[in-house]
Amino acid sequence: MSTTFKPLADRVLIEPAAAEQVTASGIIIPDTAKEKPLKGTVVAVGVGKKDEPMQVKVNDTVIYGQYSGTEIKIDGKDYLIMKEGDIYGIIG
């Protein structure tokens, strides 16, 4: 990311995973039927709240709610920004 973006407090910047292109059985999914991805990679994290340090860190792969976060565009790339509490868990 060429622009430096630092989330404030308990916010996290996430790069969503690409939407599935083909089902497990080989059916191609058209763009109009693709679901919003529910996992992504943490790109930047805030410092946390006074009594609650951040549990996620940069490069963690996380699962979040379908309607979590706000979509933003930085340097032409799509990201989600959300509170750490909107993240369900870390994969791996």
Side-chain angles (χ1 to χ4, degrees), residues 2-21:
S2 63
T3 301
T4 302
F5 182 87
K6 180 69 175 167
L8 300 177
D10 64 338
R11 288 181 175 76
V12 179
L13 185 69
I14 296 175
E15 182 176 353
E20 301 251 343
Q21 302 285 332

Side-chain angles (χ1 to χ4, degrees), residues 13-52:
L13 185 69
I14 296 175
E15 182 176 353
E20 301 251 343
Q21 302 285 332
V22 180
T23 65
S25 60
I27 297 171
I28 297 172
I29 303 170
D31 288 340
T32 56
K34 289 180 185 166
E35 290 187 17
K36 182 177 170 183
L38 302 177
K39 76 176 185 177
T41 303
V42 176
V43 176
V45 297
V47 295
K49 293 183 178 178
K50 183 179 179 183
D51 297 328
E52 296 177 33

